[in-house]
Amino acid sequence: MQLIFAHDQMVAAAEQGDSPEVYAAIFNFATVGLETTNNPILTQTLFALLPNIQRLQYLSISMGRACLIDKTVYFKTIIDCLETHDIDGGVQAIETYVATEKEYALIALRSSLLIHCPR
């Protein structure tokens, strides 16, 4: 299963503190997931948003290297929910992950703005 392989890559990279590889594995996971939905409208919409999502994810990962392992837990939950056909649990894991990443990105943006803002 390609999702499991992407997750395993993500975990291995996170354990080594390899932020770029975690980033790549997250988007590999997302791409595999989107391709299996067989929903061209959803796929097209999300791929159109992808550049912005990638920027925020990069910011979140680069600023939160200590939390790399924590990020992988959401993806394991998604796989588990797919295997048990727990749609609500999978949706909840995705929503929680997105909300958490949004907070990381906002904190990182605020921190960088404070660092570069003239006083």
Side-chain angles (χ1 to χ4, degrees):
M1 191 163 196
Q2 291 179 336
L3 286 178
I4 294 171
F5 179 72
H7 178 261
D8 289 347
Q9 285 180 311
M10 190 185 310
V11 170
E15 288 173 345
Q16 294 182 3
D18 189 344
S19 299
E21 280 300 313
V22 171
Y23 174 86
I26 287 171
F27 286 101
N28 183 29
F29 188 100
T31 299
V32 169
L34 280 173
E35 289 172 352
T36 60
T37 65
N38 294 322
N39 183 333
I41 294 170
L42 175 64
T43 301
Q44 184 178 6
T45 301
L46 290 177
F47 274 120
L49 296 171
L50 199 54
N52 290 328
I53 295 167
Q54 288 172 316
R55 286 182 196 101
L56 292 173
Q57 186 66 77
Y58 179 82
L59 182 61
S60 171
I61 287 175
S62 64
M63 297 297 284
R65 288 183 183 207
C67 303
L68 291 177
I69 292 290
D70 295 342
K71 293 178 189 308
T72 67
V73 173
Y74 297 101
F75 295 93
K76 176 64 172 131
T77 301
I78 293 166
I79 290 170
D80 292 344
C81 289
L82 287 171
E83 289 175 347
T84 61
H85 305 286
D86 179 6
I87 295 169
D88 293 334
V91 168
Q92 181 63 44
I94 292 168
E95 288 175 345
T96 303
Y97 177 74
V98 170
T100 302
E101 290 305 290
K102 174 185 161 190
E103 288 304 312
Y104 281 136
L106 287 173
I107 290 167
L109 282 170
R110 287 183 190 119
S111 297
S112 67
L113 289 174
L114 291 174
I115 291 170
H116 296 98
C117 187
R119 296 179 192 231

